Amino acid sequence: MKVKVGTRPPWIGLAAAAWVEVAAGSAYCFPLYSHAAKTVLGIDQRGLTMLGVANDIGENFGLVPGVLCNRLPPWSVLSVAAVLSFVGYGIMWLAVSKTVVGIPYWVLWIALCIATNSSAWLGTSILVTNMRNFPLSRGTVAGILKGYVGLSAAVYTEVYTGVLHNSATHLLLCLSLGIPAVCFLSMYFVRPCTPSVEEENSSEERCHFLFTQLASVILGVYLLVSTVLDDVLGLSTHVTYALFGGMFFLLFAPLAIPVKMTLWRKKRELGSIDRLVDWSSEEISNLLIATSSSVIYASDEDILLAEGEGAIIKKKSPRRGEDFEFCEALIKADFWLLFMVYFLGVGSGVTVLNNLAQIGIAAGTEDTTILLSLFSFCNFVGRLGGGAVSEHFVRSRMLPRPIWMTLTQIIMVISYLLFASGIPATLYTSTALLGICYGVQFSVMVPTASELFGLKHFGMMYNFMLLGNPLGAFLFSGLLAGYIYDKEAARQYPGFGSSISCFGPNCFRVTFLVLAGMCTLGTVLSAVLTVRIRPVYQMLYASGSFRHPRSTSIH
């Protein structure tokens, strides 16, 4: 593998990552075709929620790409994602379109796991590569990337309502063919490059991040307004296609940064442009990890001599803030505290997301796509804002990032109680609040895991944390919400079969009360975690910017 030394800034990879992250949010499309799948397949709500569990398991089972991201180049990881999405969504399309009749339920369950597992491969490749390319701005980068994932539901909703005319079968076909196309078009740009070692508070770096954040905010507002206008005014086909073109243009906005840098930035080091070095993927990965961690490697002989002379004291095990092996992190209380907080926050939120269409129908909402667009936009705001706000306060006040998980889970408790009240006027408010808080959990967990346990095995740590999502979906959605919904529907319409709809606040009231209790526990645990790791953040950000601790002590 050949890398041009000194000539490949990380910004072009970040711009391409925006497209890949939108594609990686395909699991959020489940509410768009869930009702059609329920009708065509003739399954009850519990069967549908178990499909939602398959959706979440596939999306978040990323241990395999987490291991391979340190051994394979990003393009190969993206290639696997392309194959998975083509096969998985292709099978779902065959079933929902009735092209092939009689596909067993268990085959569809596995197919949906395969389809959404492409998101895990896409997200791991993008996030690990860009976190290493921007080692000094982890919170901001995580917020931007996770923000585009949050926007993906609104992007797909715009495509679903405007271009595909509310056709679930066309949407599944679009996912089957569109995601591989994005993978193959972007794999050249998403690659390890010279890490950005500029501080985020430098004027140029700050302007670039601000422009990217602003572009994503404009895109989010644009998508929300477009969806509302289409629902309220019933826009013509020509206007709808024009709005779709505007969305397409805004998705290209982050590319303005590398284009500007290519056209106007002067070459910093003469003679470095045409120098080619042959490096293996493993050597590139080790270089990026070493650069991002500010670690200087010496020869084995020098280290042994220094240890013998007492100049270096070799550490037996890493401290929090240094690079951990995955097995070393598993025995740390902070690792499991972070996992539990994330599990309770995101696991409860994904229960609402998977059942959002049925929640809207139960509340008497005719068009549930507005609910999904609202949740998507607020999810994006939470992801982008959570990354930016936590980055600001961790640099200015050395405030541990999990404090924001504490505050947002308090708001999530309030949101679930509003849902449980069954007051129609609070449906959109509670959905918006939940979307924001749900997004914050993602953008805070990602940099927290990298700061506590390092970037060396970040892919594994990150994907293990993500298992909290399908675990919560299985417990809270598959076992709890689906059972209560079907029981209430059977009480309302006895003898009408299994695929009937439930109406009224009792369909999900008990579920929301349980979720409120779970987030109350999550609030307590995140407060404990914040207190425990405050000394770590005081050490890492004592100078106002990230400072990686040395793995050895030199006298």
Side-chain angles (χ1 to χ4, degrees):
M1 184 176 182
K2 293 187 176 182
V3 176
K4 264 187 177 180
V5 177
T7 65
R8 191 174 185 83
W11 291 97
I12 190 168
L14 186 65
W19 279 80
V20 180
E21 288 288 48
V22 169
S26 61
Y28 291 111
C29 293
F30 183 72
L32 294 177
Y33 61 83
S34 62
H35 192 68
K38 181 180 180 181
T39 303
V40 171
L41 302 177
I43 57 178
D44 58 15
Q45 184 64 21
R46 195 171 186 182
L48 185 64
T49 55
M50 290 308 294
L51 278 181
V53 171
N55 184 79
D56 295 315
I57 289 176
E59 179 192 13
N60 295 283
F61 187 76
L63 295 180
V64 176
V67 172
L68 294 181
C69 69
N70 282 343
R71 294 171 170 81
L72 298 176
W75 68 263
S76 61
V77 179
L78 292 176
S79 299
V80 175
V83 173
L84 293 175
S85 60
F86 176 76
V87 173
Y89 283 118
I91 294 174
M92 291 296 298
W93 171 77
L94 291 174
V96 176
S97 65
K98 296 183 179 181
T99 304
V100 177
V101 180
I103 299 178
Y105 177 85
W106 65 269
V107 173
L108 297 178
W109 197 92
I110 294 175
L112 192 54
C113 278
I114 293 173
T116 55
N117 191 236
S118 63
S119 299
W121 290 80
L122 292 171
T124 299
S125 174
I126 292 301
L127 193 60
V128 171
T129 301
N130 281 278
M131 291 281 280
R132 290 174 178 172
N133 289 347
F134 293 94
L136 303 182
S137 306
R138 304 181 192 185
T140 304
V141 171
I144 290 172
L145 294 178
K146 286 299 179 181
Y148 273 101
V149 177
L151 274 180
S152 62
V155 172
Y156 284 122
T157 301
E158 181 73 16
V159 174
Y160 174 74
T161 58
V163 179
L164 303 179
H165 308 295
N166 298 313
S167 172
T169 56
H170 290 165
L171 175 63
L172 289 169
L173 183 62
C174 177
L175 294 175
S176 178
L177 300 178
I179 295 176
V182 172
C183 291
F184 291 127
L185 290 174
S186 61
M187 62 174 53
Y188 174 76
F189 303 102
V190 179
R191 58 169 64 179
C193 61
T194 305
S196 174
V197 294
E198 298 179 71
E199 292 294 342
E200 187 187 355
N201 55 10
S202 70
S203 58
E204 186 178 31
E205 191 92 346
R206 186 175 64 251
C207 288
H208 289 168
F209 278 124
L210 184 61
F211 175 82
T212 306
Q213 292 167 330
L214 182 61
S216 62
V217 170
I218 293 174
L219 175 62
V221 174
Y222 179 88
L223 290 169
L224 182 63
V225 171
S226 298
T227 303
V228 173
L229 287 177
D230 185 47
D231 181 74
V232 174
L233 301 179
L235 302 177
S236 66
T237 303
H238 296 294
V239 175
T240 300
Y241 281 117
L243 291 174
F244 177 77
M247 177 196 76
F248 204 77
F249 174 77
L250 289 173
L251 281 170
F252 275 110
L255 282 173
I257 295 174
V259 170
K260 171 253 182 184
M261 294 176 70
T262 301
L263 294 176
W264 301 104
R265 194 172 185 176
K266 293 183 178 180
K267 301 170 185 178
R268 289 186 173 181
E269 296 182 9
L270 297 176
S272 66
I273 295 179
D274 298 320
R275 185 160 57 94
L276 296 178
V277 180
D278 288 334
W279 283 340
S280 67
S281 300
E282 184 177 357
E283 290 171 333
I284 295 171
S285 178
N286 289 337
L287 172 65
L288 296 179
I289 294 169
T291 306
S292 66
S293 302
S294 302
V295 177
I296 301 175
Y297 290 99
S299 67
D300 293 338
E301 293 81 5
D302 291 339
I303 293 175
L304 290 173
L305 288 173
E307 289 177 359
E309 295 172 359
I312 296 178
I313 302 175
K314 188 175 181 180
K315 291 180 59 61
K316 293 182 179 180
S317 60
R319 297 177 299 169
R320 292 177 300 180
E322 298 176 351
D323 287 326
F324 278 70
E325 298 290 333
F326 181 63
C327 292
E328 292 174 330
L330 285 178
I331 61 174
K332 295 297 181 181
D334 293 333
F335 183 89
W336 290 105
L337 277 172
L338 181 60
F339 176 82
M340 285 299 299
V341 172
Y342 179 78
F343 156 68
L344 294 170
V346 174
S348 62
V350 77
T351 300
V352 176
L353 179 60
N354 285 349
N355 294 277
L356 195 57
Q358 286 70 37
I359 291 171
I361 292 172
T365 301
E366 294 182 359
D367 188 359
T368 58
T369 57
I370 292 184
L371 280 177
L372 182 60
S373 291
L374 179 62
F375 185 93
S376 173
F377 175 74
C378 293
N379 182 20
F380 155 73
V381 171
R383 292 177 185 233
L384 184 67
V389 172
S390 68
E391 189 76 17
H392 170 75
F393 281 95
V394 80
R395 291 175 179 272
S396 62
R397 304 287 180 88
M398 295 176 288
L399 193 63
R401 296 185 196 271
I403 188 64
W404 303 106
M405 300 178 84
T406 305
L407 297 176
T408 50
Q409 290 207 23
I410 293 174
I411 299 175
M412 290 177 79
V413 173
I414 298 172
S415 299
Y416 292 135
L417 294 177
L418 286 176
F419 274 118
S421 69
I423 303 173
T426 64
L427 178 62
Y428 292 98
T429 301
S430 50
T431 301
L433 289 175
L434 182 62
I436 293 173
C437 299
Y438 180 77
V440 170
Q441 310 303 307
F442 284 93
S443 61
V444 169
M445 179 276 288
V446 172
T448 301
S450 74
E451 288 161 341
L452 292 180
F453 306 108
L455 283 174
K456 185 176 181 181
H457 295 284
F458 171 69
M460 279 289 290
M461 314 278 188
Y462 162 71
N463 281 291
F464 188 89
M465 292 289 172
L466 288 186
L467 292 178
N469 193 309
L471 180 61
F474 174 72
L475 295 176
F476 305 139
S477 182
L479 297 184
L480 178 65
Y483 171 77
I484 294 175
Y485 182 96
D486 286 336
K487 186 177 179 180
E488 177 63 21
R491 187 191 66 81
Q492 293 180 3
Y493 303 100
F496 275 78
S498 59
S499 59
I500 56 176
S501 296
C502 178
F503 298 94
N506 290 332
C507 300
F508 290 98
R509 175 168 288 155
V510 174
T511 300
F512 288 132
L513 293 177
V514 172
L515 297 183
M518 293 298 101
C519 279
T520 301
L521 176 60
T523 300
V524 175
L525 293 179
S526 59
V528 172
L529 177 63
T530 300
V531 173
R532 282 179 57 89
I533 65 177
R534 185 172 179 83
V536 180
Y537 278 86
Q538 290 174 338
M539 172 188 67
L540 294 177
Y541 290 93
S543 61
S545 61
F546 183 81
R547 177 175 59 86
H548 195 284
R550 300 283 185 179
S551 58
T552 56
S553 301
I554 301 179
H555 292 300

